[in-house]
Amino acid sequence: KLSIIGIPIVIWITLQSKSDAYFFTLYMTVLFYFLFIFFFHSTHKFSIRVIFFLICFTILSFIIINTYSDELFEIWSQADEGGGRITLMLNGMDVVKSSPIVGWGTGSFSGFVPFGRSEAHSTPIDLAMQLGIIFPIILYVIMFVAMLKKLKDKEYLVAAFILGFIFSGFFHFTARHFSFWVELSIFYSYAFHNYFKSDIKIKT
């Protein structure tokens, strides 16, 4: 019931940013909300539903990319601002390759050349540049586990929001915002809530 009030407010705030990454996040959240309802609202075993969803989604994505490749490329070119973002991400990955385990510490190491002073504008790449690849892998594992838990509980809107949150980080360094860590803590609770409950019962 609270989401009926909260969702329009969140969408309104998102629209004020006029960010292509957040528009993309909004579209993906809505799209996957309906896809989750369609594919997971059944009585089949959960693992079977996941496998069936992944197969169908892969085939559908392949068809859409091949059919609308020119249109998708034009949309990406407009959002990419003349190739700037993809350049930052590629140079960021070059920086990650130079120190993949421990990273380079606090700072921005991408740019129009590797080891510039700009962010890669991609959360996993920026975190990997700073802290190595293991740290962002752990964070995204937590997010995906939380999403799967919510899918299993048939909380499709929450699962779609988590996936939208993941998508938003691919094209924007969301981890430099305090809200990223607040939401990650919530996802951590989603992912391991049942584990903590069972552990408490065993100890008592």
Side-chain angles (χ1 to χ4, degrees):
K1 293 179 180 179
L2 289 175
S3 65
I4 297 175
I5 301 173
I7 289 175
I9 297 174
V10 172
I11 293 175
W12 181 81
I13 294 173
T14 302
L15 293 176
Q16 303 313 302
S17 68
K18 298 181 180 179
S19 167
D20 291 327
Y22 285 120
F23 283 130
F24 178 71
T25 300
L26 183 61
Y27 296 147
M28 291 295 101
T29 301
V30 174
L31 172 64
F32 277 93
Y33 172 63
F34 290 107
L35 287 176
F36 287 158
I37 292 176
F38 180 79
F39 283 98
F40 288 92
H41 195 67
S42 68
T43 57
H44 294 90
K45 192 175 180 181
F46 182 71
S47 58
I48 300 297
R49 284 179 280 168
V50 171
I51 294 172
F52 182 66
F53 170 78
L54 291 175
I55 292 173
C56 292
F57 181 72
T58 301
I59 295 173
L60 182 62
S61 299
F62 180 79
I63 294 172
I64 291 175
I65 290 172
N66 277 274
T67 305
Y68 300 101
S69 57
D70 293 336
E71 291 82 354
L72 292 172
F73 180 76
E74 184 178 350
I75 293 171
W76 170 256
S77 298
Q78 292 176 357
D80 193 30
E81 301 174 356
R85 286 182 178 271
I86 193 67
T87 300
L88 293 174
M89 285 190 274
L90 290 173
N91 287 334
M93 286 190 283
D94 287 338
V95 173
V96 173
K97 291 176 184 177
S98 64
S99 181
I101 304 301
V102 297
W104 290 94
T106 304
S108 301
F109 305 102
S110 185
F112 291 103
V113 292
F115 292 99
R117 297 183 178 180
S118 300
E119 297 171 347
H121 287 280
S122 176
T123 299
I125 297 176
D126 277 300
L127 287 177
M129 284 195 296
Q130 295 178 355
L131 301 166
I133 60 175
I134 297 175
F135 184 73
I137 288 174
I138 293 173
L139 297 189
Y140 280 93
V141 166
I142 292 172
M143 295 181 201
F144 277 108
V145 170
M147 184 191 70
L148 290 174
K149 287 285 185 68
K150 289 303 171 182
L151 278 177
K152 196 170 185 178
D153 294 338
K154 297 186 182 296
E155 295 186 35
Y156 304 120
L157 184 59
V158 178
F161 172 80
I162 295 173
L163 193 58
F165 180 82
I166 293 171
F167 277 122
S168 71
F170 290 157
F171 308 104
H172 183 69
F173 186 26
T174 54
R176 61 182 166 86
H177 301 299
F178 177 73
S179 58
F180 174 90
W181 302 101
V182 174
E183 291 173 275
L184 181 65
S185 67
I186 296 171
F187 300 155
Y188 182 87
S189 175
Y190 289 162
F192 301 107
H193 177 68
N194 290 334
Y195 171 80
F196 291 143
K197 285 177 63 178
S198 61
D199 187 51
I200 291 172
K201 289 180 180 178
I202 291 172
K203 289 181 179 180
T204 55

